[in-house]
Amino acid sequence: MNETIAHSGAWPIAVIMIVIASWFFYRYLAPKTWREWASAGLVQAFIIALYAEMYGFPLTIYFLVRFFGLDSKHLNANLWSSLLGIGESGMMISMVLGYALLFVGIGIFIQGWRVLYRARQQNQLVTTGLYRFVRHPQYTGLFIGLFGEGVVHWPTIFSVAILPVIVFAYYLLARSEEKKVIAQFGDEYRVYMNRVPMFIPRPGQWQAFIDSRGE
């Protein structure tokens, strides 16, 4: 492959972004059990692979050119730009939309974690705020952020393939966590489970769910 690919080869930036994103992730979701470590490991792999391709070597574009005959006069490390042939405009559109989802996801993630942390410190069951709409808003925020950054903003073969695996891993983790909560709160939590979805708000509740981040 002899084509010049724009926006690649900036390995120092890739390392910096990996360190920052990893620090933030482990800061708010410090794993303790083996299930938590396994799920966190998948997210860590997602972060490393994503930013290595975003700023370092665009492996996805390489494969598409080398093995699938992608033909574009202006190859860009951003997949949307190369596939749709709209150059820098395509990259900017995907960046704006992707970062919008990323920051919404981060806000939900942090708020969900803070409320849950306070509830655990006080040995209480939390069912208000974000928890009125989903039982695990911190994971919902994580999924939204990863989707925004790894699919909308900068899709790669690895990020698109591993995102469903991450969702499934955190589904199993959430089920394991809920068994412990049931053992502690019994029927009170069972009633809450029957009333509130696990990750996805009910139709018509998304706006209220996003707006409740500050509660």
Side-chain angles (χ1 to χ4, degrees):
M1 186 177 89
N2 298 318
E3 293 86 344
T4 299
I5 300 179
H7 303 289
S8 62
W11 285 105
I13 299 178
V15 172
I16 291 171
M17 292 302 299
I18 289 170
V19 170
I20 293 174
S22 300
W23 176 86
F24 175 85
F25 173 67
Y26 286 106
R27 166 67 176 82
Y28 285 99
L29 202 65
K32 296 178 181 178
T33 68
W34 72 267
R35 287 184 182 275
E36 291 175 344
W37 275 109
S39 301
L42 290 172
V43 177
Q44 180 70 75
F46 180 99
I47 291 171
I48 293 172
L50 175 66
Y51 289 112
E53 281 209 41
M54 185 181 296
Y55 296 106
F57 181 74
L59 186 62
T60 298
I61 297 297
Y62 173 84
F63 274 117
L64 291 176
V65 173
R66 179 68 176 82
F67 299 107
F68 295 95
L70 177 65
D71 183 17
S72 176
K73 294 181 179 179
H74 303 287
L75 285 176
N76 191 300
N78 182 278
L79 183 61
W80 295 123
S81 297
S82 294
L83 288 181
L84 301 179
I86 51 180
E88 297 296 314
S89 298
M91 188 179 71
M92 290 300 297
I93 292 171
S94 66
M95 182 179 70
V96 171
L97 294 177
Y99 274 133
L101 289 173
L102 175 64
F103 290 130
V104 167
I106 288 174
I108 294 171
F109 176 85
I110 293 176
Q111 181 63 12
W113 179 86
R114 285 176 175 172
V115 172
L116 183 61
Y117 179 80
R118 288 196 297 266
R120 285 176 174 175
Q121 293 293 104
Q122 299 170 6
N123 198 31
Q124 295 178 345
L125 177 64
V126 56
T127 60
T128 59
L130 291 169
Y131 288 83
R132 288 180 293 154
F133 306 100
V134 293
R135 304 198 300 272
H136 301 274
Q138 70 275 28
Y139 298 155
T140 302
L142 178 65
F143 302 153
I144 293 173
L146 294 180
F147 178 79
E149 188 72 342
V151 178
V152 177
H153 177 201
W154 208 276
T156 70
I157 293 173
F158 186 83
S159 65
V160 172
I162 200 174
L163 185 56
V165 180
I166 291 174
V167 173
F168 182 68
Y170 275 97
Y171 165 78
L172 295 178
L173 177 60
R175 291 294 298 270
S176 176
E177 291 172 343
E178 288 184 338
K179 290 180 181 179
K180 298 177 183 179
V181 181
I182 290 174
Q184 181 177 5
F185 293 101
D187 289 339
E188 183 181 3
Y189 191 74
R190 290 190 182 92
V191 171
Y192 172 70
M193 288 179 63
N194 291 332
R195 189 177 75 250
V196 179
M198 180 176 279
F199 298 132
I200 303 175
R202 299 187 189 282
Q205 292 186 333
W206 271 103
Q207 187 62 51
F209 174 64
I210 294 173
D211 291 342
S212 66
R213 284 176 296 168
E215 295 182 9

